[in-house]
Amino acid sequence: MKKLLVANRAEIACRIFQSCRELGYGTVGIYVDGDEDARHVTYADEIFHVTSYLDADGILEIAKRAGADLIHPGYGYLSENAQFVAKVEKAGLVFVGPRPDSMEVMGSKIQAKLLADKIGVPNLPWAQLKSQDIRPDELKEAANKVGYPLLLKAEAGGGGKGMRLVQKEGELLSGAEMAMSEAKSSFGNGTLFLERYLEGPRHIEVQVFGDGNGNGAHFFERECSIQRRHQKVWEEAPVPNLSEKTRRGLYDSSLKLVSQMKYRGAGTCEFLVNGDDYFFLEMNTRLQVEHPVTEFVTGVDLIRLQILQAVGERAEVQRPASPHGHAIEVRIYAEDPSKNYLPTPGKVEVLKWPTGPGIRVDSGIEEGQRVGTQFDPMLAKLVVSATSREHAIQRMRFALDETVIMGLGTNLPFLRKLCDEPAVKEAKVDTSFLQREYSTYKMIAREEELEIFSQMKSTGRSSGVISEKASHPSPWERVEL
Amino acid sequence: MSSKTLKISGEPNDLSQVSKSNWNFEKRPGGWVIATNEEGRRIRFQAGRFGQLANAVFRGNSWYGEFQKQSWGAGGADSGDEKLIAEFPGKIRKVLVKSGEAVDKGQDLVLVEAMKMEMAIQAPYAGTVKKILVKDGGQILPGDRFLELEAEAEKS
């Protein structure tokens, strides 16, 4: 029996375990201090303690000790770490994911842009700066080529660091000086490049799968524009309000990248879309959080596909000619939208998920589990699908109404509000929308609810004139009937 | 007359002003509660009180916040009951009292190790230990309640 170790945690670990179990593989999980209670720890067939989810050597040791044949990195953590892949393969294990060279190319912003330029994939207007010192003439020339407004970005940068927005020429020199010194101090490398800045573009991505020999397929696209501070909240497949020409262009460009790189496995090509124009942003050489919406509209199990490819089995990929119906995913976070989305740690006292046709829950939590602030606050993903987008939104409304999470604060009321938001219903949302309209969100109390609160007895012992049922225990007390 | 305030989702709601209809509550399996009023309006919801935390989930609205009610605890906003709730993460070194035990104000109830220090959680008022919610060696997170302490009746 084959064994697969998941070098990850929470909902994605549980998701990968499912595909493994369906294939009859043994599952090996890992956990760090603070994750003892986690759902994926209970769920794994075998579980091992590690010091960190980034401890490549430690995790590899565990994999060898447990006799694992494969390692799946999930997303984040070690999933795009070329050195880790090399170590895994050197140890004779199989890494479920792309080859290290793909990670290296796409991990460098400049390498990725150069590749796109080479094969005719549209980039945002951009320019490289050759020197690590400020050369005003070179700067000005590059800026004129790129156009304003523009972003000065560090080649070695990431996580929003080493970026500077320049609105006009007057700000260019000082902006470059600051960006360069920040890049030198943060990354030890002051090389910058310039990139045209788009105000409120749409973020649209294409799911691809390559066979490693230059052939590949796409699994249609996803709309991910509903994001707050670069954190996605609501994703959909397929993308509404998009011209067929642009859609074709996105597919073509994605497949060009797969072909050129002889890309192996699952990946996502991300683009910024402005009207009918689209520009390559980056490629993620791993599985993405929002893969469920693609799975819903294509009927494909992407993780199963990844695993079968990794073990050398020819997987029958049957992708429909066009997406079936419409799928929406929302991310449930332990945060309070009314307090600037502050994390709300606590214990999951009560947990109830909606069920029914077209409803899928990818959960990382169990009832009784403590949620701290040590990890990403995403608790679960709630995904729905239906034959039309309109029905999918109705279904999401239903599913959110039926979700009960008590013991900690969540963004559920905010997600629920999005179902009624006109811009969402009309699919007119761009990446600036949430920051503008929902920088904070306070749930609206219904008078009935306040009335009910005022009349709910706090303990079963008090008598009331409210009704003859007042002798029953109070609604606040959760006792067995 | 005692004022009823429900501080939920960060803000106090003066419930004495809200009372248009009378609600009847029926508990259903699975923790569901069905509230009906005289006009036949029917609302299904879930509610729970977990230590100092109150949660209520109605269709589309999730209420999350503190629960302060006159009839529970020593009464009033500054009952001292909040001292029985962990403010930072830590570990229980030892529980010093038993359920049903009478304690004096200031008596050490639980020894806790937190922030590299050892400290004692003391009784904010005299009373009887009702329910101990932690155990020796257990981990605690901010918001976790150590125990429920029922105040001694006021001596006149």
Side-chain angles (χ1 to χ4, degrees), chain A residues 49-247:
Chain A
H49 179 266
V50 294
T51 48
S52 156
Y53 291 110
L54 290 166
D55 180 10
D57 294 323
I59 291 171
L60 195 47
E61 260 318 297
I62 302 274
K64 287 191 266 185
R65 203 191 329 155
D69 306 281
L70 308 111
I71 296 185
H72 195 306
Y75 50 70
Y77 294 117
L78 294 167
S79 64
E80 288 173 291
N81 187 313
Q83 290 84 25
F84 180 57
V85 183
K87 284 181 178 175
V88 170
E89 292 182 341
K90 191 160 170 217
L93 276 67
V94 174
F95 179 80
V96 182
R99 287 188 313 265
D101 58 275
S102 305
M103 293 180 183
E104 272 158 357
V105 170
M106 287 301 160
S108 155
K109 296 175 180 17
I110 291 189
Q111 293 301 319
K113 283 183 188 302
L114 289 170
L115 181 69
D117 276 343
K118 183 170 153 192
I119 59 177
V121 166
N123 270 320
L124 284 162
W126 77 291
Q128 249 182 307
L129 290 180
K130 305 291 178 198
S131 49
Q132 285 216 32
D133 322 296
I134 307 282
R135 306 253 171 97
D137 288 339
E138 187 197 2
L139 246 185
K140 229 173 106 171
E141 201 189 307
N144 287 338
K145 177 181 162 208
V146 169
Y148 293 93
L150 57 84
L151 279 172
L152 285 158
K153 282 182 162 177
E155 178 188 359
K161 273 188 127 182
M163 279 206 317
R164 207 130 221 116
L165 180 61
V166 173
Q167 299 277 10
K168 50 192 194 287
E169 198 180 284
E171 297 167 13
L172 187 59
L173 215 54
S174 53
E177 262 155 35
M178 288 193 279
M180 203 170 267
S181 85
E182 199 179 292
K184 277 184 183 146
S185 61
S186 298
F187 315 111
N189 177 354
T191 310
L192 301 178
F193 65 94
L194 283 68
E195 187 188 78
R196 187 73 207 280
Y197 177 73
L198 294 179
E199 311 266 6
R202 295 173 79 181
H203 175 125
I204 294 177
E205 57 191 39
V206 177
Q207 177 70 53
V208 295
F209 202 97
D211 71 356
N213 294 319
N215 306 308
H218 71 78
F219 288 86
F220 312 116
E221 77 288 6
R222 294 186 287 258
E223 163 74 90
C224 301
S225 301
I226 302 181
Q227 30 177 276
R228 208 196 125 257
R229 301 217 168 151
H230 304 287
Q231 193 184 60
K232 295 171 185 170
V233 169
W234 168 304
E235 304 109 337
E236 305 186 32
V239 175
N241 275 350
L242 190 68
S243 76
E244 279 319 295
K245 184 164 174 233
T246 310
R247 214 184 296 264

Side-chain angles (χ1 to χ4, degrees), chain A residues 36 336 338-339 344-347 349-350 352 370-372 400-410 412-413 416 441-459 461-462 466-470 472-479 481, chain B residues 4 6 8-11 13 15-16 18-33 35 37 41 43-51 53-64 67 69-72 133-134 138-142 144 150:
Chain A
E36 295 89 350
D336 185 349
S338 74
K339 293 188 172 68
T344 49
K347 183 176 157 199
E349 300 277 2
V350 177
K352 285 191 181 302
R370 276 115 181 281
V371 173
L400 286 167
D401 279 346
E402 291 301 319
T403 301
V404 179
I405 304 180
M406 296 206 276
L408 67 181
T410 66
L412 282 166
R416 177 62 182 79
Y441 174 71
K442 210 148 126 206
M443 183 190 76
I444 296 163
R446 295 188 197 114
E447 195 149 275
E448 301 174 314
E449 291 162 10
L450 294 176
E451 270 184 27
I452 283 170
F453 284 137
S454 76
Q455 291 171 31
M456 267 162 62
K457 295 294 158 193
S458 68
T459 68
R461 289 189 291 282
S462 30
I466 303 298
S467 79
E468 66 271 26
K469 293 226 166 104
H472 281 202
S474 151
W476 289 114
E477 307 297 337
R478 300 180 66 83
V479 297
L481 281 184
Chain B
K4 285 182 185 184
L6 190 67
I8 273 200
S9 296
E11 280 181 20
N13 294 282
L15 299 179
S16 55
V18 174
S19 206
K20 290 202 184 125
S21 47
N22 289 322
W23 294 87
N24 182 32
F25 298 98
E26 182 198 350
K27 292 191 119 183
R28 303 286 308 159
W32 293 104
V33 179
N37 70 5
R41 180 99 178 91
I43 294 186
R44 172 170 56 98
F45 67 101
Q46 292 252 351
R49 194 184 63 202
F50 315 104
L53 185 66
N55 264 156
V57 178
F58 294 83
R59 197 171 287 185
N61 270 358
S62 289
W63 292 80
Y64 161 81
F67 186 98
K69 204 83 155 62
Q70 286 293 111
S71 58
W72 188 69
L133 298 163
V134 294
Q139 297 283 344
I140 44 162
L141 284 177
D144 281 352
E150 194 179 75

Side-chain angles (χ1 to χ4, degrees), chain B residues 42-114:
Chain B
R42 189 177 182 277
I43 294 186
R44 172 170 56 98
F45 67 101
Q46 292 252 351
R49 194 184 63 202
F50 315 104
Q52 190 78 343
L53 185 66
N55 264 156
V57 178
F58 294 83
R59 197 171 287 185
N61 270 358
S62 289
W63 292 80
Y64 161 81
E66 283 165 49
F67 186 98
Q68 289 170 327
K69 204 83 155 62
Q70 286 293 111
S71 58
W72 188 69
D78 293 315
S79 61
D81 185 66
E82 65 275 5
K83 296 202 174 62
L84 299 172
I85 291 162
E87 283 181 274
F88 20 72
K91 194 165 151 180
I92 304 291
R93 290 279 266 119
K94 196 168 167 61
V95 178
L96 302 169
V97 294
K98 286 193 269 292
S99 178
E101 192 176 320
V103 299
D104 296 321
K105 180 172 172 176
Q107 182 172 338
D108 287 352
L109 305 172
V110 184
L111 291 178
V112 177
E113 192 184 281

Side-chain angles (χ1 to χ4, degrees), chain B residues 106-136:
Chain B
Q107 182 172 338
D108 287 352
L109 305 172
V110 184
L111 291 178
V112 177
E113 192 184 281
M115 304 188 312
K116 305 197 204 296
M117 295 185 296
E118 195 172 284
M119 52 192 88
I121 307 298
Q122 299 176 325
Y125 45 81
T128 311
V129 176
K130 277 277 144 216
K131 203 160 138 190
I132 298 184
L133 298 163
V134 294
K135 60 179 199 287
D136 291 4

Side-chain angles (χ1 to χ4, degrees), chain A residues 194-434:
Chain A
L194 283 68
E195 187 188 78
R196 187 73 207 280
Y197 177 73
L198 294 179
E199 311 266 6
R202 295 173 79 181
H203 175 125
I204 294 177
E205 57 191 39
V206 177
Q207 177 70 53
V208 295
F209 202 97
D211 71 356
N213 294 319
N215 306 308
H218 71 78
F219 288 86
F220 312 116
E221 77 288 6
R222 294 186 287 258
E223 163 74 90
C224 301
S225 301
I226 302 181
Q227 30 177 276
R228 208 196 125 257
R229 301 217 168 151
H230 304 287
Q231 193 184 60
K232 295 171 185 170
V233 169
W234 168 304
E235 304 109 337
E236 305 186 32
V239 175
N241 275 350
L242 190 68
S243 76
E244 279 319 295
K245 184 164 174 233
T246 310
R247 214 184 296 264
R248 291 267 134 242
L250 293 168
Y251 296 157
D252 287 344
S253 289
S254 304
L255 291 176
K256 272 184 181 157
L257 288 162
V258 168
S259 171
Q260 176 70 15
M261 293 164 66
K262 293 189 163 48
Y263 189 77
R264 177 189 81 192
T268 296
C269 301
E270 299 191 329
F271 300 87
L272 295 184
V273 176
N274 209 15
D276 281 343
D277 296 325
Y278 68 94
F279 306 97
F280 175 59
L281 179 65
E282 63 182 18
M283 180 173 180
N284 293 323
T285 54
R286 56 171 166 79
L287 188 75
Q288 304 234 143
V289 176
E290 58 272 21
H291 73 272
V293 295
T294 296
E295 291 189 322
F296 251 145
V297 302
T298 56
V300 167
D301 179 335
L302 286 167
I303 293 174
R304 184 183 176 96
L305 217 62
Q306 287 182 303
I307 296 173
L308 289 177
Q309 179 187 62
V311 298
E313 281 180 37
R314 188 158 158 62
E316 342 83 57
V317 182
Q318 272 169 1
R319 190 209 76 192
S322 54
H324 283 159
H326 200 93
I328 302 174
E329 170 185 284
V330 293
R331 302 193 189 187
I332 301 175
Y333 285 100
E335 60 188 21
D336 185 349
S338 74
K339 293 188 172 68
N340 210 32
Y341 299 88
L342 197 70
T344 49
K347 183 176 157 199
V348 182
E349 300 277 2
V350 177
L351 184 63
K352 285 191 181 302
W353 293 118
T355 60
I359 297 177
R360 163 177 167 174
V361 176
D362 285 20
S363 163
I365 52 171
E366 281 285 7
E367 211 169 69
Q369 184 174 333
R370 276 115 181 281
V371 173
T373 48
Q374 197 180 346
F375 306 106
D376 186 272
M378 187 174 82
L379 300 170
K381 292 154 14 192
L382 176 58
V383 198
V384 301
S385 91
T387 45
S388 70
R389 183 171 188 268
E390 191 190 350
H391 187 179
I393 295 178
Q394 291 170 341
R395 188 156 274 170
M396 182 55 82
R397 203 178 278 126
F398 166 80
L400 286 167
D401 279 346
E402 291 301 319
T403 301
V404 179
I405 304 180
M406 296 206 276
L408 67 181
T410 66
N411 65 342
L412 282 166
F414 161 65
L415 295 173
R416 177 62 182 79
K417 176 71 167 75
L418 288 180
C419 296
D420 294 334
E421 169 58 56
V424 170
K425 283 162 100 168
E426 289 157 35
K428 291 199 171 117
V429 178
D430 63 50
T431 49
S432 66
F433 177 74
L434 277 193

